[in-house]
Amino acid sequence: MQLYLEKLKEGGLKLTPRRQAIIEFFVDGKSHLTPEEVWKKLKKRFDRCGLPSVYRNLESLVKCGILTKIQQFDRKKHYGLCSAVHGDYHHHHITCIECGKVDEIKDCAIGDAKKIKGYKVVSHFIQVNGICADCSRG
Amino acid sequence: MQLYLEKLKEGGLKLTPRRQAIIEFFVDGKSHLTPEEVWKKLKKRFDRCGLPSVYRNLESLVKCGILTKIQQFDRKKHYGLCSAVHGDYHHHHITCIECGKVDEIKDCAIGDAKKIKGYKVVSHFIQVNGICADCSRG
DNA sequence: CCTCAAATAGAAACTATTTCTGTTTATTAT
DNA sequence: ATAATAAACAGAAATAGTTTCTATTTGAGG
Ligand SMILES: [Mn+2]
Ligand SMILES: [Mn+2]
Ligand SMILES: [Zn+2]
Ligand SMILES: [Zn+2]
């Protein structure tokens, strides 16, 4: 948690009880969560808490590098703990479609390619969906 | 257009005026479009036309292989002409963030990898955003 | 032509997200 | 400790994109 505190401070963000709880959800759960899922968990701990705050907090936590957005094919936003918090490196994610666990893919084919097919590459996105070893055994 | 007719028939879909127009938008425009953008163009040609039909048609055209979904980071759906219509092969897309043009990336790092990091790979998604040669020139 | 499944418009519902306003809270400086 | 200040917050309302529903129309095949 110390590490996250530093990241927050770096980003000029306060450590609030809600924020701390949100970070814990991701650290403990080891899976990605939607804003609504975070909200449901949060409501168990706090009498009053608003969904807009959850949205704001998740975005803040992405900005300061604690969380990462995970693009899925539904219309919801998904967030996961970005282990690049342990040192910043370029990576993408693989997600288990059964249990929602998120792992990292460290080698990326696009990598730091400056040009592809005559295009100046600005950004890229890779998402792999699969079934993790645990769920395969199950 | 003959090619598209065949694809439609294969998929058990009728050739309707609206469908034909939609295909033309993509063939002529050479860029990806959102349902709303398609709708706006369609309304210029047809007095009466409904947005739900546009959504339905775009999905139908994906199913029969004429269009492909292009995932962007906004909340809208994006569709583009899938040139794999000229023969089915695995590919992804690169999009120009200036003009919206879509090109194909034929070699894919994930390709037919069956396993990554212990995960049984089910699906994957790659999207590259850049600035095309034309737009780079200014 | 006739038939019938497929396609359609338009209205209404829905869902996820964002904006707004006034209040509360955590940090920092006294 | 206490005060000042900027950030975080709840709750209500608004928005945007998409989907569902129902009754009507249309195109393809016989
Ligand atoms: Mn990560
Ligand atoms: Mn394609
Ligand atoms: Zn799993
Ligand atoms: Zn371009």
Side-chain angles (χ1 to χ4, degrees):
Chain A
M1 186 53 74
Q2 186 54 40
L3 178 60
Y4 301 117
L5 260 166
E6 283 167 27
K7 282 265 171 189
L8 282 174
K9 194 163 275 183
E10 275 175 39
L13 298 173
K14 292 179 186 173
L15 176 69
T16 66
R18 267 145 247 253
R19 236 166 230 171
Q20 183 154 358
I22 291 175
I23 294 172
E24 280 168 18
F25 296 152
F26 284 101
V27 173
D28 298 349
K30 291 172 204 284
S31 81
H32 59 128
L33 297 167
T34 63
E36 177 119 20
E37 287 167 341
V38 170
W39 188 43
K40 276 180 188 158
K41 284 169 174 283
L42 212 54
K43 280 194 288 190
K44 288 180 190 161
R45 288 214 208 167
F46 299 90
D47 277 1
R48 325 174 77 239
C49 78
L51 190 49
S53 293
V54 173
Y55 277 92
R56 231 179 312 104
N57 274 325
L58 291 171
E59 275 309 301
S60 302
L61 293 173
V62 168
K63 265 193 202 124
C64 76
I66 293 175
L67 298 183
T68 183
K69 281 193 214 204
I70 295 173
Q71 187 102 341
Q72 298 289 122
F73 291 92
D74 56 17
R75 296 176 50 207
K76 296 173 191 165
K77 298 194 162 181
H78 293 251
Y79 295 87
L81 199 59
C82 184
S83 63
V85 79
H86 302 296
D88 252 316
Y89 51 86
H90 179 80
H91 67 285
H92 298 284
H93 298 97
I94 185 164
T95 306
C96 177
I97 56 175
E98 297 284 336
C99 69
K101 188 161 52 195
V102 179
D103 266 312
E104 281 179 16
I105 299 174
K106 275 161 194 161
D107 42 292
C108 164
I110 315 293
D112 33 32
K114 295 271 175 290
K115 285 208 152 199
I116 292 179
K117 288 209 98 184
Y119 284 70
K120 200 184 298 170
V121 175
V122 172
S123 67
H124 67 277
F125 173 76
I126 297 178
Q127 169 74 47
V128 183
N129 300 300
I131 300 174
C132 74
D134 290 345
C135 289
S136 283
R137 266 194 291 280
Chain B
M1 186 55 73
Q2 187 53 40
L3 178 60
Y4 301 118
L5 260 165
E6 284 167 27
K7 282 266 171 189
L8 282 173
K9 194 163 276 185
E10 274 175 40
L13 297 173
K14 292 178 186 171
L15 176 69
T16 66
R18 268 143 247 252
R19 234 165 232 171
Q20 182 154 358
I22 291 175
I23 293 172
E24 281 168 18
F25 296 153
F26 284 100
V27 173
D28 298 348
K30 293 171 202 285
S31 81
H32 59 130
L33 297 167
T34 63
E36 177 118 21
E37 286 167 341
V38 170
W39 188 43
K40 277 182 188 158
K41 284 168 174 283
L42 213 53
K43 281 194 288 190
K44 288 180 190 161
R45 288 213 208 167
F46 301 90
D47 277 1
R48 323 175 77 240
C49 77
L51 190 49
S53 294
V54 174
Y55 276 92
R56 230 179 312 103
N57 274 326
L58 291 170
E59 276 308 301
S60 302
L61 294 172
V62 168
K63 266 191 202 124
C64 76
I66 294 176
L67 298 182
T68 183
K69 281 193 215 204
I70 295 174
Q71 187 103 341
Q72 298 289 121
F73 290 91
D74 56 18
R75 298 175 49 205
K76 296 173 190 166
K77 299 196 161 180
H78 292 252
Y79 295 87
L81 199 58
C82 184
S83 63
V85 78
H86 302 296
D88 252 316
Y89 50 85
H90 180 80
H91 68 286
H92 298 283
H93 299 97
I94 185 164
T95 306
C96 176
I97 57 174
E98 297 284 336
C99 69
K101 188 161 52 196
V102 179
D103 266 313
E104 280 179 19
I105 300 174
K106 276 161 193 160
D107 42 294
C108 163
I110 315 291
D112 34 33
K114 295 271 177 288
K115 284 208 152 199
I116 291 178
K117 288 210 100 184
Y119 284 71
K120 199 183 299 169
V121 175
V122 172
S123 66
H124 66 276
F125 174 77
I126 297 179
Q127 169 75 46
V128 182
N129 300 300
I131 300 173
C132 74
D134 290 345
C135 289
S136 282
R137 268 194 288 278

